[in-house]
């Protein structure tokens, strides 16, 4: 055939493809046409099909000429191979394997025969979707190269990204595809529908792979899709493109840490990374494990041998400058993100930017509802951000939906927000600050009833479904932001009200050291007595927490009684004063003030502060040697907590009550309370209280003789407190291990553990826990046959605990020193210590301790030769205290304190 004949044949084919007869070559029914083609094209083709049914002979003739022409074009043209160069794929073997499976299964084309069903006439469509920079294009092109032999008729590639301002129009993309298939430019149909129909006609019997990179939306892609069963279309997009029919979806998420290190090592050089893996890991975290960012950083490192990993880490540390570092040659994370950001609705940009400017934390619908102008706008914002992969949804309906924003995306959005006009930013920020004020005050009204009048009634119940403490704890950094922003926006009354609300959650949050005076400062214009008193009380409470009880007492000092002052406010002040004296280790005065506070609060409608006063009152009563009163106070507090419905308070009080039951030697009752508390703290994601409860459960398991279970709970508690930097709690956990190890006969380990605990308490300056540890060191000396060495540490423990008014701890130390004196033959001194300990134990419900000390008194009497007196005491004790009988033969020099 001559070139002129070939050209004429090709043009006839193209003209036929645009007619109804060309449509009839693809389908025998209108249903199939409407399933395959867009609606306008389908109408035209349906008419053509009807005409063809009436002119069957003409149709058969034209069809034969068309098939012959297509065969000529196919044999004459050059098969396109447009995949080009591709970056190596690192650490994505699983994703690649799944994609290869989808693309390798290529059916034999129909070769123009009529398909039996719709699915048999469709090309395979695979959408690879995910966030910007996550590696979609690299994955897709690597897969395309691997399967190209399965597509002998060619591989086409179109970048749908566009010119940087607008996505590539479908008509331009179709022009590229058709020209690549040897269609002459003069033969291109003028409109999109015509070009799409021609593409479908030409590819119907081909084995062709088309890669559509950076697809923007379904409408852009739909005209570009062939229908031939031998064709496959591989699409990359930041959206799932759910509107594309009969597609396979492959989401691409971030690589894990190991895969991220592999990406960095591939570009920077493996030896470079293995030389300092810890710093390399930090770099991957600063890059958020985003492959594009890792490639940029790795390429920079490879180009600059003088640039150490440490210096690169330092350049990435400041998140405000991080995006400027993530640029190398043609790669720019900022430019990559801008392609998505440019298409967002204006309202979405503003809302997303403000949320990105907030301190990092959990995001949910509440945040978007109060940044947007309406609830509908909030949902639209969330939907749009999720659709374009700038944000991802997590959780479920039962647990509640939350949202996650990649750190680098957050930094980018915050930068874009700063470019908005100042007045527009002010409007958004005023709205959000007011929302935080309403939320904080409404939640605080559950603890301070008088605040109920400060919030509109319809807003009071907005957050009731969630524990107030949990919400405030999760939002504490943003609430502090709201206080600062309110002051910058000349909203000082609002700032004061947020601070006042926070003052009722000081046990649930961790405010930065030294920040209380600023956070709870009343502006000179503040005149509301309630607000001023609450802020002053908050500063005093923070001072106690920071180890400055005298400052707290000074803040709340009243030289003269003020009968006009609010009695509830006075009672709340008394609670803080009691905490101050407890911090000074003066438990006698602390007990007096807390007793006063509880009595005053009983007559008021203030259940939250009453239950808190009763909780601490129980602790002081226990320390002062009245555990039975402590149990009564704490059970009443627990009932109040259950009535208020606060899950955190209930869990905390179960823990406190369990500790008292441990003192009362009722560990069987204590264990389930602690197990329940641990579960609840885990649900609340309160790691600190979970650790404290694990520590308490370890003691209970030890009392039950379950030493290995006790050790495991102590280990889990330390795993929580160690990373938190809670050295005091790590010291307490270390101290608790002393008796467990000794009870297992591992005395050398117990002694080393005691030295470690003592060093920790010396470092943090905790004199009371130093005394507790000195007591245990003294006991270890007794147990190892060194009573002389035991006297000094036990004497130190007695002096510290008695000075603090901790009667129970002082009695334990006196008991042990009495045993040491007995072993040394210093019987008068032994009697004095043991009798003092007995007097304290007899004043409270300490039957176990009383029985243990009595056994040691009997041993002293027998050592002195006072057999009759010893027998009489033994007989009387056996008759009045059943525990004494169970301890028969107990020797304080051998037994483990607190264990039967």
């Amino acid at each position: 055939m001559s070139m002129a004949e070939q050209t004429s044949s090709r043009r006839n084919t193209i003209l036929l493809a645009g007619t109804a007869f060309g449509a009839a070559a693809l389908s025998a029914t209108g249903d199939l046409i409407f399933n395959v083609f867009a609606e306008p094209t389908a109408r035209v083709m349906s008419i053509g099909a009807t005409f063809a049914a009436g002119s069957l002979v003409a149709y058969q003739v034209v069809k034969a000429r068309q098939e012959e022409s297509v065969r000529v074009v196919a044999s004459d043209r050059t098969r396109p191979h447009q995949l080009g160069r591709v970056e190596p794929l690192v650490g994505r073997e699983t994703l690649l394997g799944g994609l290869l499976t989808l693309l390798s299964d290529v059916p034999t084309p129909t070769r123009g025969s009529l398909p039996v069903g719709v699915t048999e006439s469709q090309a395979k469509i695979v959408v690879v979707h995910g966030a910007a920079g996550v590696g979609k294009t690299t994955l897709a092109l690597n897969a395309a190269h691997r399967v190209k032999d399965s597509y002998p008729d060619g591989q086409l590639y179109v970048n749908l990204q566009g010119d940087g301002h607008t996505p590539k129009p479908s008509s331009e993309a179709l022009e590229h595809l058709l020209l690549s298939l040897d269609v002459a430019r003069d033969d291109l149909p003028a409109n999109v529908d015509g070009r799409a129909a021609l593409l479908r006609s030409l590819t119907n019997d081909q084995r062709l792979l088309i890669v559509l990179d950076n697809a923007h939306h379904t409408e852009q892609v739909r005209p570009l899709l062939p229908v031939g069963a031998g064709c496959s279309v591989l699409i990359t997009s930041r959206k799932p493109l759910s509107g594309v029919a009969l597609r396979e979806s492959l989401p691409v998420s971030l690589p894990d840490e190991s895969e991220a290190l592999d990406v960095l090592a591939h570009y920077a050089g493996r030896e470079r990374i293995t030389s300092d893996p810890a710093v390399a890991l930090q770099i991957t975290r600063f890059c958020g494990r985003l492959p594009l960012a890792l490639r940029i950083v790795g390429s920079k490192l490879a180009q600059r041998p003088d640039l150490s990993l440490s210096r690169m880490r330092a350049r990435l540390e400041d998140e405000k400058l991080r995006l400027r570092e993530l640029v190398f040659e043609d790669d720019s994370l900022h430019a990559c993100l801008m392609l998505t950001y440019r298409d967002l609705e204006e309202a979405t940009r503003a809302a997303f930017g403000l949320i990105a400017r907030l301190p990092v934390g959990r995001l949910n619908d509440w945040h978007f509802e109060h940044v947007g102008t309406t609830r509908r706008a909030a949902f639209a914002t969330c939907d749009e951000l999720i659709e374009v992969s700038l944000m991802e949804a997590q959780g479920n309906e039962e647990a509640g939906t939350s949202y996650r924003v990649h750190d680098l995306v957050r930094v980018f959005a915050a930068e874009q927000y700063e470019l908005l006009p100042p007045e527009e930013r002010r409007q958004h920020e005023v709205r959000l600050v007011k929302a935080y004020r309403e939320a904080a005050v409404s939640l605080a009204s559950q603890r301070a009833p008088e605040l109920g009048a400060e919030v509109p009634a319809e807003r009071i119940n907005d957050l009731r479904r969630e524990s107030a403490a949990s919400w405030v704890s999760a939002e504490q950094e943003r609430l502090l932001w709201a206080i600062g922003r309110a002051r910058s926006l000349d909203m000082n009354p609002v700032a004061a009200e947020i601070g006042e609300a926070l003052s009722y959650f000081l046990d649930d949050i961790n405010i930065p050291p030294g920040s209380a005076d600023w956070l709870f400062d009343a502006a000179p214009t503040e005149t509301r007595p309630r607000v001023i008193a609450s802020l002053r009380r908050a500063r005093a409470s923070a001072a106690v927490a920071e180890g400055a009880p005298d400052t707290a007492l000074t803040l709340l000092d009243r030289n003269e009684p003020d009968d006009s002052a609010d009695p509830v406010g006075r009672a709340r002040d008394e609670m803080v004063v009691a905490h101050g004296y407890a911090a000074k280790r003066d438990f006698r005065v602390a007990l007096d003030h807390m007793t006063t506070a509880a009595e005053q609060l009983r007559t008021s409608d203030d259940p939250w502060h009453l239950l808190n006063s009763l909780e601490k009152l129980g602790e002081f009563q226990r320390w002062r040697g009245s555990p039975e009163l402590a149990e009564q106070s704490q059970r009443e507090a627990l009932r109040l907590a259950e009535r208020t419905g606060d899950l955190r308070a209930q869990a905390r009080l179960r823990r406190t009550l369990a500790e008292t039951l441990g003192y009362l030697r009722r560990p069987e009752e204590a264990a389930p309370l602690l197990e329940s508390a641990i579960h609840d703290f885990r649900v609340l994601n309160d790691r600190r209280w979970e650790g404290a409860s694990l520590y308490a459960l370890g003691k209970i398991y030890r009392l039950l003789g379950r030493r290995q279970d006790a050790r495991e709970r102590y280990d889990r508690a330390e795993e929580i407190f160690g990373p938190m930097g809670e050295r005091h709690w790590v010291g307490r956990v270390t101290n608790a291990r002393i008796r467990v190890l000794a009870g297992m006969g591992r005395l050398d380990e117990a002694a080393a553990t005691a030295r470690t605990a003592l060093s920790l308490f010396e470092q943090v300056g905790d004199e009371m826990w130093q005394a507790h540890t000195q007591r245990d060191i003294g006991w270890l000396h007794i147990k190892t046959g060194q009573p002389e060495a035991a006297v000094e540490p036990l004497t130190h423990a007695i002096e510290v605990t008695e000075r603090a008014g901790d009667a129970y701890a002082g009695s334990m130390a006196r008991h042990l020193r009495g045993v040491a004196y007995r072993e040394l033959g210093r019987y008068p001194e032994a009697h004095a210590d043991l009798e003092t300990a007995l007097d304290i134990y007899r004043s409270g419900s300490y039957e176990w301790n009383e029985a243990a000390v009595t056994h040691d008194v009997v041993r002293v009497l027998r050592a002195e030769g006072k057999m009759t007196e010893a027998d009489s005491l033994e007989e009387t004790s056996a008759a009045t205290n059943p525990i004494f009988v169970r301890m028969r033969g107990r020797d304080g020099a051998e037994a483990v304190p607190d264990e039967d």
Side-chain angles (χ1 to χ4, degrees), residues 551-565:
T551 300
L553 296 174
T554 300
L555 281 167
L556 298 177
D557 179 49
R558 292 190 181 91
N559 294 323
E560 297 181 5
D562 184 1
D563 294 334
S564 64

Side-chain angles (χ1 to χ4, degrees), residues 152-376:
D153 291 313
Q155 306 88 41
L156 300 177
Y157 173 86
V158 185
N159 188 345
L160 298 177
Q161 180 174 292
D163 60 5
H165 298 287
T166 57
K168 184 186 291 290
S170 301
S171 59
E172 287 186 21
L174 282 164
E175 177 181 329
H176 169 81
L177 292 172
L178 292 172
L179 291 175
S180 300
L181 293 173
D182 280 354
V183 175
R185 188 174 294 277
D186 291 344
D187 296 332
L188 290 174
N191 58 45
V192 170
D193 285 348
R195 292 181 179 186
L198 179 55
L199 176 67
R200 290 191 288 268
S201 177
L202 292 177
T203 59
N204 185 51
D205 61 352
Q206 302 295 305
R207 281 191 172 180
L208 194 69
L209 175 63
I210 301 178
V211 178
L212 303 177
D213 199 13
N214 296 309
H216 185 257
H217 48 67
T218 301
E219 291 70 23
Q220 180 193 31
V221 167
R222 188 178 284 119
L224 314 181
L225 304 179
V227 293
C231 295
S232 290
V233 185
L234 181 54
I235 305 171
T236 71
S237 177
R238 295 173 191 183
K239 303 178 182 180
L241 301 183
S242 55
V244 177
L246 299 174
R247 84 204 194 295
E248 298 281 355
S249 180
L250 185 67
V252 182
S253 57
L254 291 171
D256 61 28
E257 284 192 340
S258 176
E259 293 170 333
L261 280 171
D262 285 342
V263 175
L264 184 62
H266 173 80
Y267 290 97
R270 189 158 296 279
E271 290 184 5
R272 197 96 171 264
I273 301 306
T274 55
S275 67
D276 199 344
V279 174
L281 185 59
Q282 289 177 311
I283 289 175
T284 66
R285 289 171 180 168
F286 284 139
C287 291
R289 308 199 313 273
L290 194 67
L292 175 58
L294 294 167
R295 186 172 82 208
I296 291 171
V297 170
S299 300
K300 280 188 170 184
L301 288 167
Q303 187 188 59
R304 292 275 308 276
D306 63 303
L307 185 59
S308 68
L309 291 179
S310 296
R311 287 177 58 201
M312 177 54 76
R313 176 189 60 187
R315 290 166 68 163
L316 293 168
E317 279 179 340
D318 187 345
E319 70 172 26
K320 294 180 180 178
L321 304 176
R322 199 169 296 161
L323 287 177
R324 299 179 190 177
E325 286 294 331
L326 297 177
V327 179
F328 182 76
E329 295 182 348
D330 293 335
D331 286 330
S332 165
L333 181 60
H334 184 280
C336 181
L337 292 170
M338 184 58 76
L339 292 172
T340 303
Y341 185 81
R342 70 187 182 187
D343 296 319
L344 296 176
E345 294 290 335
E346 187 175 338
T348 299
R349 292 185 193 180
F352 189 41
L354 177 51
I355 284 176
R357 284 279 290 113
L358 294 175
V360 178
R362 182 175 178 267
L363 294 172
N364 53 37
D365 289 333
W366 185 91
H367 300 94
F368 288 95
E369 287 175 25
H370 292 89
V371 168
T373 53
T374 65
R375 188 179 180 86
R376 177 179 296 180

Side-chain angles (χ1 to χ4, degrees), residues 390-694:
L390 287 176
M391 184 173 77
E392 62 181 20
Q394 299 174 321
N396 51 50
E397 187 172 346
E398 181 179 346
T401 301
S402 62
Y403 305 106
R404 180 185 178 277
V405 178
H406 191 282
D407 280 346
L408 294 175
V409 174
R410 175 179 53 78
V411 172
F412 170 83
E415 287 184 358
Q416 299 307 306
Y417 176 77
E418 293 300 323
L419 301 178
L420 294 177
E423 186 54 37
E424 182 180 348
R425 294 201 310 264
R426 176 185 174 85
Q427 290 175 2
H428 292 299
E429 289 163 13
V430 166
R431 186 163 52 245
L432 184 56
V433 167
K434 287 181 177 178
Y436 269 115
R437 179 262 176 199
E438 285 192 351
V441 174
S442 66
L443 291 174
S445 69
Q446 300 177 34
R447 301 184 171 190
E450 67 274 13
L451 295 183
E454 303 297 325
V455 182
E458 64 272 15
R459 305 303 292 251
I460 289 286
N461 295 318
D462 271 5
L463 298 166
R464 285 284 177 129
R465 290 174 298 173
E466 189 172 4
S467 165
S470 294
W471 191 90
V472 173
S473 177
E475 293 295 319
Q476 64 177 12
E477 294 298 328
R478 292 163 179 161
L479 286 163
L480 303 189
W481 169 87
I483 291 175
R485 202 73 200 107
R487 290 177 179 162
S488 298
L489 295 168
D490 294 325
M491 301 167 65
N492 285 317
V494 172
E497 288 170 330
I498 298 174
E500 180 187 17
L502 272 184
S503 74
Y504 296 105
F505 294 93
L506 293 181
D507 288 337
D508 304 300
I509 63 175
N510 297 307
I511 62 173
S515 65
D517 286 346
W518 180 85
L519 284 173
F520 304 115
D521 178 43
T525 55
E526 184 58 69
T527 59
R528 293 169 290 180
R530 187 205 71 237
V531 175
I532 293 172
S534 296
L535 295 176
R536 182 177 62 243
R537 192 181 306 119
R539 289 166 59 199
S541 296
V544 172
E546 291 180 12
D550 288 329
T551 300
L553 296 174
T554 300
L555 281 167
L556 298 177
D557 179 49
R558 292 190 181 91
N559 294 323
E560 297 181 5
D562 184 1
D563 294 334
S564 64
D566 172 26
V568 173
R570 288 204 308 270
R572 294 174 185 173
D573 285 355
E574 286 287 335
M575 292 175 64
V576 180
V577 169
H579 281 287
Y581 280 108
K584 290 166 65 71
R585 304 302 182 188
D586 192 340
F587 297 120
R588 299 179 186 85
V589 178
L591 177 61
D592 291 342
H593 281 280
M594 197 60 76
T595 301
T596 300
E599 290 173 351
Q600 291 177 347
L601 290 167
R602 284 185 191 281
T603 62
S604 65
D605 180 24
D606 192 357
W608 174 259
H609 288 90
L610 176 57
L611 76 85
N612 277 274
S613 68
L614 289 169
E615 177 186 4
K616 296 307 293 185
L617 178 62
E619 287 190 16
F620 298 156
Q621 288 169 331
R622 187 180 71 210
W623 295 339
R624 291 294 295 146
S626 301
E628 71 286 352
L629 296 179
E631 181 187 3
Q632 294 174 19
S633 297
Q634 289 164 353
R635 286 196 183 279
E636 183 181 355
L638 180 56
R639 286 193 296 271
L640 286 168
E642 290 169 345
R643 200 175 305 159
T644 63
D646 191 294
L647 183 60
R648 187 185 299 267
Q650 293 173 53
R652 194 181 68 235
L653 279 157
R654 289 192 188 100
R655 179 195 177 279
T656 305
L657 177 58
E659 282 197 319
T660 298
L661 293 172
Y663 278 76
L664 290 167
R665 293 304 179 275
R666 288 151 60 187
E668 297 85 356
E669 296 177 53
L673 287 171
L674 284 167
E675 289 160 356
S676 173
I678 291 167
H679 172 270
D680 289 345
F681 286 130
R682 197 170 292 143
V683 169
L684 293 165
N685 196 30
D686 191 328
R687 297 285 284 165
R688 191 175 187 278
W689 275 100
E690 180 187 347
S693 301
L694 284 165

Side-chain angles (χ1 to χ4, degrees), residues 838 842 846-848 850-851 854 872-886 888:
L838 266 178
R842 285 169 177 161
Y846 292 113
E847 288 85 359
W848 187 95
E850 182 183 343
T854 303
S872 175
L873 178 58
E874 195 169 33
E875 183 179 340
T876 303
S877 298
T880 58
N881 189 344
I883 298 175
F884 181 85
V885 178
R886 295 205 304 268
R888 193 175 301 281

